[in-house]
Amino acid sequence: MNRPHVGFYVHYHGLGHKHRAEAIMRHLDCDCTVITSRCGDAAWSGKHLIDVMDLPSDIDDVPDHGYRHRQEVPALHYAPLWTSNITARVAAYTGWLQDAKPDLMVVDVSAETSMLTRLASIPQVVVRQHGRRDDDAHHNAYAAAISLLAPFPESWEDDITPSWVRQKTIYLNGFRREPEKAPQTIPQHERPTVVVMFGRGGHADAHAPLRSAANECPDFQWLVIGLDDDEHHPAGPANLSFLGWQESPQDIYRHADVVVTAAGHNSVMEIGSYRRPMIAIAQDRPFDEQIRKARILDREGLAVGLSRWPEAGSWPKLLDRARRLDTSQWDRVFQEDGAQQAASYLTSTAQWAAKQKRSQTETSPCPSA
């Protein structure tokens, strides 16, 4: 029997969407095609990955006079005018849908791609993210999907989410980017350690605030991942080290006494999987995504969640609060492998969709979780 064909639209901002798709495709018993922009030439992995399609980017070569019209359509987040890249992008994507005729699309994430997929008469599952997603474009994308996939458990649901969105959502347990690996070495430090993690995304000049934090807490060794030291700033303090970009940051933070990170989904899940006390600080993201997630993490007792960088003088109390967290509460989040749950659901849904496509009879219900 031929395997169903599932397409993954993977957003190009950062690496989190890519890592999520790969974690799911590692278990997915379907032929898979990735559709993306700006990272199509990157190394991609998947159990049955057959192709990666690199679409023209919708943010390149946008004329200023066209960009000013980008938010005029309530049903779309982004629709500038007179942009040949977008014309080519739409043609390439819908042309692929016509030629490949995938049984199912997974859209992570784009309201515009979701609407194109539905207009092309292809069933889709839309990935949800935290944040204030009550605008027309999000609601239309959710309505266009046969179901929604939340890469977080139902206990992490936001109280502002409408009931019809909750009812349409398949909730998952946590999962990490890659299976856990044994550490190469166990670092030894004379003092308790605070590991501060910065991802690939942009951030303001954090050197001065980090020096201030280390000075406030001299009994801790501060290790900063993802950020190099700034030679233009004065040296010190002695308990602060900038380690730059690390390919395996888990070898550093898995033994930390406290981990300080942005409230991005993948970072939070990775650190939580190692049951480390965590301070999650929201960065500025569209739709208050990290602000809402930080509040939920704090509400659930999984992290000290902050909406912004702490004020000077507050670090000693924050570290004390983080170290008193009951990290065993993460056991509930990782009761099962969320990536395997997603793969199982998508496989059954793709099989259902393929059967419906061949059928001339009345539609049967879509599979549930």
Side-chain angles (χ1 to χ4, degrees):
M1 180 179 177
N2 293 333
R3 288 187 294 264
H5 184 187
V6 176
F8 279 80
Y9 173 81
V10 181
H11 199 277
Y12 49 77
H13 181 76
L15 294 174
H17 302 281
K18 177 179 185 289
H19 294 158
R20 179 156 55 216
E22 289 180 313
I24 295 171
M25 289 191 295
R26 190 182 304 129
H27 305 285
L28 191 60
D29 194 21
C30 299
D31 289 337
C32 298
T33 299
V34 166
I35 299 95
T36 188
S37 298
R38 290 188 154 202
C39 52
D41 58 350
W44 288 81
S45 62
K47 183 179 178 182
H48 299 297
L49 179 61
I50 59 176
D51 195 15
V52 177
M53 180 184 182
D54 195 18
L55 293 176
S57 172
D58 55 358
I59 61 174
D60 291 340
D61 302 321
V62 181
D64 290 341
H65 64 294
Y67 186 74
R68 288 194 291 269
H69 296 272
R70 69 193 183 280
Q71 292 181 323
E72 292 179 342
V73 185
L76 303 173
H77 286 137
Y78 179 76
L81 292 172
W82 306 297
T83 305
S84 58
N85 259 17
I86 294 179
T87 306
R89 173 187 178 87
V90 170
Y93 179 60
T94 54
W96 178 82
L97 292 177
Q98 163 66 17
D99 294 340
K101 294 181 175 59
D103 297 298
L104 181 70
M105 282 297 303
V106 179
V107 179
D108 183 11
V109 286
S110 164
E112 293 72 43
T113 301
S114 178
M115 299 312 291
L116 282 173
T117 304
R118 184 58 185 252
L119 286 169
S121 197
I122 304 295
Q124 65 183 303
V125 173
V126 169
V127 177
R128 283 185 54 199
Q129 300 182 110
H130 280 113
R132 191 172 291 279
R133 314 277 174 173
D134 54 358
D135 54 278
D136 288 346
H138 273 107
H139 281 185
N140 286 334
Y142 294 166
I146 58 173
S147 60
L148 308 172
L149 201 63
F152 50 83
E154 190 170 6
S155 60
W156 287 27
E157 186 58 271
D158 199 318
D159 55 14
I160 64 174
T161 303
S163 59
W164 71 268
V165 174
R166 299 182 189 214
Q167 291 167 7
K168 208 170 185 178
T169 298
I170 306 299
Y171 296 95
L172 306 174
N173 283 128
F175 57 94
R176 57 166 64 90
R177 169 184 172 182
E178 296 177 348
E180 183 175 355
K181 299 177 182 178
Q184 298 298 314
T185 59
I186 298 178
Q188 301 294 324
H189 299 283
E190 295 181 358
R191 290 174 282 199
T193 57
V194 178
V195 174
V196 184
M197 288 183 59
F198 288 92
R200 292 282 194 191
H203 50 76
D205 182 8
H207 293 87
L210 285 168
R211 285 179 167 82
S212 175
N215 278 320
E216 289 177 36
C217 305
D219 294 334
F220 289 83
Q221 182 68 43
W222 291 68
L223 306 174
V224 183
I225 300 174
L227 187 66
D228 292 315
D229 202 354
D230 186 348
E231 60 185 18
H232 300 295
H233 282 75
N239 65 325
L240 176 64
S241 301
F242 292 89
L243 306 182
W245 184 255
Q246 300 288 317
E247 290 299 328
S248 300
Q250 65 272 15
D251 289 342
I252 300 171
Y253 67 67
R254 68 191 301 166
H255 299 290
D257 292 276
V258 179
V259 181
V260 179
T261 183
H265 184 79
N266 287 282
S267 296
V268 165
M269 280 294 186
E270 291 284 335
I271 296 163
S273 72
Y274 289 102
R275 313 304 197 266
R276 302 322 304 151
M278 186 190 324
I279 298 175
I281 305 175
Q283 291 185 328
D284 185 19
R285 292 292 184 270
F287 310 106
D288 291 342
E289 177 184 341
Q290 292 198 11
I291 291 175
R292 302 301 304 184
K293 187 182 292 293
R295 290 178 181 175
I296 290 168
L297 292 169
D298 197 272
R299 181 192 74 194
E300 296 299 306
L302 296 168
V304 176
L306 305 176
S307 61
R308 60 184 181 275
W309 190 265
E311 295 180 359
S314 61
W315 278 105
K317 289 184 178 179
L318 289 172
L319 293 181
D320 179 65
R321 182 183 164 200
R323 296 183 78 182
R324 288 188 283 108
L325 290 170
D326 178 8
T327 58
S328 69
Q329 293 190 82
W330 282 96
D331 294 348
R332 294 181 287 110
V333 179
F334 289 95
Q335 284 180 345
E336 297 182 52
D337 186 331
Q340 289 185 345
Q341 290 175 322
S344 176
Y345 172 73
L346 292 174
T347 297
S348 63
T349 303
Q351 291 169 343
W352 164 83
K355 183 178 179 181
Q356 296 303 313
K357 185 165 60 175
R358 296 190 302 266
S359 175
Q360 301 298 316
T361 61
E362 185 176 348
T363 302
S364 63
C366 178
S368 57

